[in-house]
Amino acid sequence: MNLELKLEHYEGPLDLLLHLIEKNKVSITDIPIVKITDQYLEYINAISVGKMEIMSEFIEMAATLLAIKAKMLLPKPKIESEEEVDPRQELMEQLLEYKKYKIISERLREYSESAAKNVFKEPSIPVEVLNYVEPVNPEEILAKLDFDKLYQVFQMVMKRKADKIDPIRSQFSEIPREVVSLEDKMQSILALKSRRHLSFLELLSEQSSKPAMVVTFLAILELMKTGEIRVEQSNLFEDIRITFN
Amino acid sequence: MQIEEVTAIVEALLFSMGEAIALEKLAEVVEIDKSTLKKIMEQMQEKYEQDHRGIRLISLEGAYQLCTKPEYYEYIRRMTNKAKSYELTDVLIETLSIIAYKQPITKTHIEAIRGVKSDHAVNKLIEYGLVEEKGRLDGPGKPIVFGTTEVFLRYFGLSSPEELPVLEDKILEQIQKETENELQMKLEEIL
Amino acid sequence: MQIEEVTAIVEALLFSMGEAIALEKLAEVVEIDKSTLKKIMEQMQEKYEQDHRGIRLISLEGAYQLCTKPEYYEYIRRMTNKAKSYELTDVLIETLSIIAYKQPITKTHIEAIRGVKSDHAVNKLIEYGLVEEKGRLDGPGKPIVFGTTEVFLRYFGLSSPEELPVLEDKILEQIQKETENELQMKLEEIL
C-alpha cells in the first residue's frame, strides 16, 4: 500500500482523523483516543521521511494525539475538581468545526452543479452603438474660448511669422528656395575661427531655415571628423561648446 | 414612461451587455427612480418564469443579469460542446466554504480550521475570481482578510451571501444521530 | 413537445450562442422537423415584436439570431458611453484664429503661417463644427479653402467673417513701412 500517496489524498491531519473516526464508526464527541492514536501513528510511520512539507502538519497532530493519550492514561487525581476538562475537548471542537465545513462543501458542490446550468451571454453591443460618435456641440466648445484671446493669438502668430520671414523678400509672393551647401556652411563656420569658441545653440539660432540648421549640424560633424574643431558638453541637454583647434 | 417601455429597455440593456448590471446604473440610464424600477424588475422576473421563455432574470446583490433557464441546459450542451469553465477540487471548495462563512477571514484563521497550510488554495481561488482581498485586519501585523466575490455568488447560483445554506442545526443533528447510534450499539453489546 | 417548450428552448439556445444559428441546426438539437420549427420561429418573431420586448428575432438566410431592437440603441449608448470632452488646445486656438481672420484660406497657407503641418488641427476643428470647407480656390490644383462655420459666427454675435476685427492689416502695414524705411536708410547710406 502506497501510504504516501494515501496521505496526500487526505487534505490534512484533520481530514485523516475524520476518516479514521468514520472507519471505526466512533463519535467525534467521544473519540477512543488510544485506538485512533495508534491507527493514526500507523499511517504516519508507514510514510517515507522525504515528504517533509506535507509531513510536518501530520506529525504535529501525532504529537497532540500522544499528549492527549498520555493525559487520559495518567491516574486521575484523587480529588476530582468539579469542572474536569476532557483532554480531548479542544481536538473535538476542532474536528467538529472542520466537519461542519466538510458538510457545507458538499452542499456547495450541489449548488454549483445546478448553477452551472445558468448559461450567460457574451456582450453583444450593436455595431451601430460601437461605431457611434457623439455629436459635437460647437457652442459648448466655444464657451471655453475667449474671443479676445482668439484675437491675441492671431496677432501673436502673425507677429511670429513676420519676425521669421525676411520682410523684403516677403513682398514678393514667393519665397525662393534656399540653397545651402555643406561646403559653404563649413567655410562659414571656419570663418568664425577668430572667436575661438562658438555656442552650438547660438549657431543654430542664427540659421534662417530648417535646411540651414540641418546643414550646419552636418558641417559641425564634418569639421569634427577632419579635426578642425572639438565639441564639449558639460551636462545633458546643455549647450555644446565648439572650440577651434 | 410606460412600464412596457421600461421593460423593453431593460431587456435590451441586459441582453446586449451580457453582464450583471446594478439597479442604480439601470435606473440612471433609463431615467427612472430606483424603487419604481425595482418593482418593474420584480414583475419582469415573474414574466420570465413563464413557460414559453428560455431565459430568466436573476439578481445578484442588487444587480441583474439574464441567463438561460437550467432546464434547457441539456440543449445548450448539445449545441456546443462547451465544457464547464473549471471544476473546483475538494480542497478548493472546502477552503472556499470556510471563506464564505467566516468572511472577512485571515489566512491564518483558514489554516487553523483546515489544519493545513492554505496558500495554494487561497491563491487558486483568487485566480478564479471567487475570492478577493477585503482589506486588512486592524491587529498585529495587519493581516490581509479575504472574502467572496460576485463571481462566487454566480458560481453557486446565490443572489446574496445570505442565501448560503444554514447548516448549523443539520450538522448538530447529524452528529447527534451518530452519537446515538453509537450508544445504541454499545447498549446492544452490553445486553 | 409543446410549442411553448420549443419556443423556450430556442430562446435559450439563441441567447446562449449569441450568433446566428441555422434552422437545420436548431431543428436537429430540439429534435423537431424543420417545417414545424420554421412556423414556430415565425410565431416567435411576431411575439418579440411586442412592445415590452427589448430584443427581437431576426432571420438571415435560413439562420436565426436574437438582437437588440434598434429603438433602444440610445440606451445602450448611454450605458457604454465614455463621456468625451472636447478640448481646445493651444494648437487648435492658433489654427482657428488664422482661419477666422484669413478666411477663406487654404491648408497650405495655414501651414505657411504656422510653419508646421496643420492637417490634424484643421480636421479637429472641422469635427468640432467650428470650421468648414468653403469651396475651392480657382488656381493650380484647385485647393480647398476653409472658413469658420455659421455656428462660430453666431456664437460671437457676428453676421459675417468681415465683422471680425481687422487689425492685422495695420500690423502688416506697419511692418512693411518699417522695412521700407530701413531699406531707404540703407540706400541712403550707400548712396
Side-chain angles (χ1 to χ4, degrees):
Chain A
M1 180 173 56
N2 189 342
L3 274 175
E4 187 186 325
L5 199 82
K6 280 205 91 165
L7 244 209
E8 279 172 334
H9 177 249
Y10 296 103
E11 284 169 32
L14 292 173
D15 203 24
L16 174 56
L17 268 182
L18 277 184
H19 167 77
L20 293 175
I21 287 163
E22 251 164 57
K23 209 178 86 178
N24 287 285
K25 294 194 168 67
V26 292
S27 167
I28 298 174
T29 47
D30 188 21
I31 302 169
I33 200 74
V34 180
K35 196 173 173 186
I36 295 294
T37 306
D38 289 349
Q39 289 183 12
Y40 186 92
L41 290 176
E42 238 177 84
Y43 265 82
I44 301 297
N45 289 332
I47 288 155
S48 68
V49 205
K51 292 258 175 184
M52 274 316 283
E53 68 275 15
I54 45 165
M55 282 302 295
S56 61
E57 284 149 347
F58 284 93
I59 289 167
E60 200 183 317
M61 177 57 76
T64 309
L65 287 173
L66 286 171
I68 296 171
K69 183 178 156 186
K71 255 190 209 158
M72 291 190 74
L73 291 179
L74 279 176
K76 291 191 172 126
K78 283 192 179 133
I79 311 144
E80 280 184 29
S81 68
E82 290 204 7
E83 292 168 60
E84 197 202 343
V85 183
D86 191 326
R88 299 171 299 176
Q89 185 69 26
E90 202 181 320
L91 181 63
M92 183 190 87
E93 278 166 11
Q94 211 183 347
L95 281 169
L96 277 178
E97 175 92 342
Y98 182 66
K99 171 110 190 194
K100 191 171 94 183
Y101 289 108
K102 279 253 151 201
I103 295 170
I104 287 169
S105 302
E106 282 161 30
R107 282 291 291 277
L108 280 179
R109 169 138 353 250
E110 285 164 24
Y111 273 52
S112 78
E113 275 158 12
S114 60
K117 293 177 180 167
N118 294 337
V119 179
F120 298 92
K121 185 184 153 293
E122 293 294 312
S124 58
I125 297 163
V127 273
E128 287 90 336
V129 174
L130 282 178
N131 296 336
Y132 176 78
V133 184
E134 183 123 357
V136 206
N137 182 359
E139 300 200 0
E140 204 177 290
I141 299 165
L142 288 171
K144 297 173 191 162
L145 183 65
D146 188 337
F147 193 49
D148 288 336
K149 189 185 172 190
L150 189 70
Y151 184 56
Q152 280 166 20
V153 168
F154 178 67
Q155 277 183 308
M156 230 172 60
V157 172
M158 294 314 287
K159 178 99 186 355
R160 195 177 68 201
K161 191 195 165 213
D163 287 347
K164 245 191 236 166
I165 296 170
D166 181 344
I168 302 168
R169 277 184 178 168
S170 70
Q171 281 179 14
F172 308 101
S173 60
E174 207 179 299
I175 302 163
R177 192 189 155 89
E178 195 178 2
V179 183
V180 199
S181 85
L182 185 61
E183 192 56 39
D184 288 351
K185 202 43 93 182
M186 280 165 71
Q187 287 310 318
S188 66
I189 292 172
L190 285 174
L192 300 169
K193 205 166 181 169
S194 58
R195 277 156 59 180
R196 306 274 307 271
H197 302 295
L198 290 178
S199 150
F200 177 71
L201 288 181
E202 266 176 44
L203 198 58
L204 279 196
S205 62
E206 284 164 12
Q207 305 306 314
S208 58
S209 68
K210 241 183 241 170
M213 284 189 199
V214 174
V215 177
T216 304
F217 184 66
L218 290 174
I220 291 169
L221 291 180
E222 192 59 30
L223 290 171
M224 277 168 67
K225 207 176 108 190
T226 57
E228 310 263 8
I229 56 168
R230 275 178 289 127
V231 295
E232 292 165 286
Q233 186 180 36
S234 51
N235 272 308
L236 200 59
F237 302 122
E238 272 190 14
D239 194 5
I240 299 169
R241 200 166 119 118
I242 302 166
T243 315
F244 291 97
N245 282 332
Chain B
M1 199 185 281
Q2 295 281 317
I3 292 183
E4 297 224 317
E5 199 184 349
V6 174
T7 306
I9 296 168
V10 169
E11 186 178 60
L13 285 169
L14 294 176
F15 177 85
S16 69
M17 302 311 285
E19 61 203 14
I21 306 174
L23 181 71
E24 286 77 19
K25 185 72 187 165
L26 284 170
E28 184 195 316
V29 168
V30 185
E31 290 174 338
I32 184 174
D33 70 284
K34 262 171 58 178
S35 60
T36 313
L37 183 60
K38 192 163 197 285
K39 277 190 203 109
I40 295 175
M41 301 293 290
E42 278 158 15
Q43 270 184 33
M44 284 178 75
Q45 284 185 303
E46 269 172 47
K47 267 198 183 162
Y48 279 112
E49 291 308 322
Q50 288 174 350
D51 285 345
H52 69 282
R53 301 303 311 260
I55 51 179
R56 63 196 187 113
L57 179 57
I58 59 165
S59 60
L60 301 138
E61 285 192 288
Y64 293 87
Q65 187 166 18
L66 288 175
C67 70
T68 58
K69 286 186 183 168
E71 50 262 53
Y72 306 121
Y73 181 66
E74 181 51 30
Y75 293 96
I76 297 168
R77 261 207 26 216
R78 275 190 219 168
M79 177 134 295
T80 52
N81 298 309
K82 229 197 270 176
K84 237 180 76 187
S85 47
Y86 49 86
E87 197 76 59
L88 293 182
T89 61
D90 287 344
V91 174
L92 291 187
I93 210 158
E94 181 185 302
T95 311
L96 185 57
S97 59
I98 293 168
I99 295 171
Y101 280 85
K102 290 280 193 180
Q103 62 185 307
I105 184 173
T106 64
K107 209 179 278 177
T108 319
H109 196 168
I110 298 169
E111 286 167 358
I113 294 173
R114 294 191 57 224
V116 279
K117 278 269 172 210
S118 303
D119 301 82
H120 180 76
V122 172
N123 291 344
K124 215 63 198 160
L125 290 170
I126 291 172
E127 189 191 314
Y128 288 165
L130 294 163
V131 161
E132 63 189 3
E133 293 186 8
K134 295 279 190 185
R136 287 174 179 276
L137 209 65
D138 203 14
K142 293 201 182 278
I144 296 164
V145 287
F146 299 91
T148 53
T149 63
E150 197 188 279
V151 177
F152 164 81
L153 293 176
R154 221 181 348 242
Y155 190 88
F156 292 102
L158 308 167
S159 59
S160 83
E162 284 85 59
E163 281 190 12
L164 281 167
V166 187
L167 281 169
E168 215 70 40
D169 297 344
K170 285 232 174 71
I171 291 170
L172 283 181
E173 248 171 54
Q174 194 173 339
I175 291 163
Q176 224 150 32
K177 230 162 84 186
E178 275 173 20
T179 322
E180 273 165 26
N181 285 345
E182 199 196 339
L183 208 67
Q184 197 63 38
M185 275 158 62
K186 278 191 183 150
L187 279 171
E188 278 163 11
E189 271 171 45
I190 295 165
L191 296 174
Chain C
M1 201 185 281
Q2 295 280 318
I3 293 182
E4 298 223 316
E5 200 184 348
V6 175
T7 306
I9 296 168
V10 169
E11 185 177 59
L13 286 170
L14 293 175
F15 175 86
S16 64
M17 296 300 128
E19 61 206 17
I21 305 173
L23 182 70
E24 286 77 20
K25 183 74 186 167
L26 284 170
E28 183 196 318
V29 169
V30 185
E31 290 173 339
I32 185 174
D33 69 284
K34 265 171 57 177
S35 61
T36 312
L37 183 60
K38 192 161 197 287
K39 280 192 201 104
I40 296 175
M41 300 293 289
E42 279 157 13
Q43 270 185 34
M44 284 177 74
Q45 285 187 300
E46 269 172 50
K47 267 198 186 165
Y48 278 112
E49 290 309 320
Q50 289 174 347
D51 284 346
H52 69 281
R53 301 304 310 262
I55 50 182
R56 63 196 185 118
L57 179 58
I58 55 165
S59 59
L60 341 99
E61 297 173 50
Y64 292 86
Q65 184 171 13
L66 285 177
C67 62
T68 333
K69 285 187 184 169
E71 52 260 54
Y72 305 120
Y73 283 1
E74 169 59 22
Y75 294 93
I76 303 169
R77 231 173 257 152
R78 279 190 213 166
M79 176 121 321
T80 53
N81 186 35
K82 312 140 214 106
K84 215 171 157 185
S85 73
Y86 300 101
E87 241 205 299
L88 272 183
T89 60
D90 288 346
V91 169
L92 291 187
I93 293 173
E94 185 181 301
T95 312
L96 181 61
S97 75
I98 296 167
I99 296 171
Y101 287 95
K102 287 285 194 180
Q103 61 188 305
I105 183 172
T106 65
K107 209 180 277 173
T108 319
H109 195 171
I110 298 169
E111 285 168 0
I113 294 173
R114 293 191 56 222
V116 282
K117 276 269 172 207
S118 304
D119 300 82
H120 180 77
V122 173
N123 290 342
K124 212 79 195 152
L125 290 169
I126 291 172
E127 187 196 319
Y128 287 1
L130 304 174
V131 162
E132 63 189 1
E133 294 185 8
K134 294 280 191 187
R136 287 173 180 277
L137 210 65
D138 202 15
K142 292 198 182 282
I144 298 163
V145 287
F146 298 92
T148 51
T149 59
E150 216 185 286
V151 181
F152 172 87
L153 294 172
R154 206 176 40 223
Y155 188 84
F156 290 117
L158 309 166
S159 58
S160 82
E162 282 82 56
E163 286 183 25
L164 283 159
V166 275
L167 274 171
E168 89 277 12
D169 291 344
K170 291 216 177 89
I171 298 175
L172 277 183
E173 256 170 47
Q174 197 177 338
I175 291 166
Q176 240 150 27
K177 237 164 79 189
E178 275 170 20
T179 320
E180 275 160 26
N181 287 346
E182 211 181 325
L183 202 69
Q184 197 60 41
M185 278 159 62
K186 276 189 183 151
L187 282 169
E188 279 162 11
E189 269 172 44
I190 295 165
L191 300 172

